[in-house]
Amino acid sequence: MPKFMQIVYVLGSTRSGTSALRNAIAETRFSGYGEGHLTPLLSDLLDNIEGHRVSGTGAAERGTGLFSLKPNVLIRHFFHGYERYLASQFESEFIVDKTPTVDPIRMAPLLNKYHVNAKFIYCVRRHVDNVQSKRKKFADHPFPSHCREWAACHESWLKSKVELNDNFLEMDFHRLVTEPSRVAQEIATYLELPEPEMRDIEEYLLQARPETSKNRDLTQFLKLSEIPWTSEEKQIFQRICGKVGTQLNYGYDTYFDNPGV
């Protein structure tokens, strides 16, 4: 069993290219579940430790184990056990985790703090294209929930990334489609992979373009003015997604609001 391992978290909203990037990375030395959904367990663990340390029985009584508890030390031991668990599941020192929800995005600074060697790749996709893709894939979900999910993920990322000390890559969905070779090179450099494994990533991205279909040219973005949403839906979309969309420089009828920025 390894003393430590490397784990790369592929983060992002649903329908943002997370599956394509996860699968491409899994062509290399990295192994992992198709979707992890384990980080909420870690989050609950951290919350419980902090809660007991503050208000658990014996927390204020000198001489008790809880009073003397060193939370950071205990948490690091728990994370080491979690890493050993993943290593045993996949018989690998290199793990890729893809959980396309807001939970691991919010938790990224803590994952970065407590893992021995964590990496983060965030998949970002323009709001108009992403919400429309969600609507087609998850037609039974209410339209506002698609908008809220996109906004929550990106708002959380803008907050979390500043605490990662530049330990992350951001990958725009459009680049996965239009610049797969350059994306593969950037990922390989970030993960310190040799050229043969970089070629494995590149080949996957070239042959299995994210969310592709014969009826959809992913190099072309959608225009809000032309998309078949109702006027009410467009107003809901702009109200929920507009602020963070502006922060990300995404336009409604252009890909970027200010192309030169």
Side-chain angles (χ1 to χ4, degrees), residues 150-179:
W150 182 91
C153 285
H154 291 73
E155 286 171 353
S156 295
W157 175 245
L158 290 174
K159 294 176 182 177
S160 290
K161 65 187 284 190
V162 299
E163 300 182 47
L164 294 179
N165 299 316
D166 294 324
N167 180 26
F168 63 86
L169 280 183
E170 282 183 330
M171 287 296 168
D172 188 280
F173 182 91
H174 195 254
R175 291 193 62 217
L176 295 182
V177 178
T178 60
E179 302 177 18

Side-chain angles (χ1 to χ4, degrees), residues 10-11 15-25 121-125 169-187 201-212 218-219 255:
V10 177
L11 308 173
R15 314 300 288 177
S16 293
T18 54
S19 293
L21 272 187
R22 178 265 168 214
N23 293 343
I25 292 170
I121 301 177
Y122 186 75
C123 298
V124 56
R125 189 176 185 184
L169 280 183
E170 282 183 330
M171 287 296 168
D172 188 280
F173 182 91
H174 195 254
R175 291 193 62 217
L176 295 182
V177 178
T178 60
E179 302 177 18
S181 296
R182 184 174 294 183
V183 165
Q185 179 63 67
E186 291 176 11
I187 292 173
I201 295 174
E202 179 183 34
E203 183 177 356
Y204 183 89
L205 292 177
L206 285 169
Q207 294 184 1
R209 291 169 57 193
E211 310 296 349
T212 190
L218 293 173
T219 65
Y255 196 86

Side-chain angles (χ1 to χ4, degrees), residues 97-108:
D97 180 279
K98 184 207 80 166
T99 302
T101 68
V102 72
D103 296 309
I105 301 172
R106 290 172 176 161
M107 198 181 175

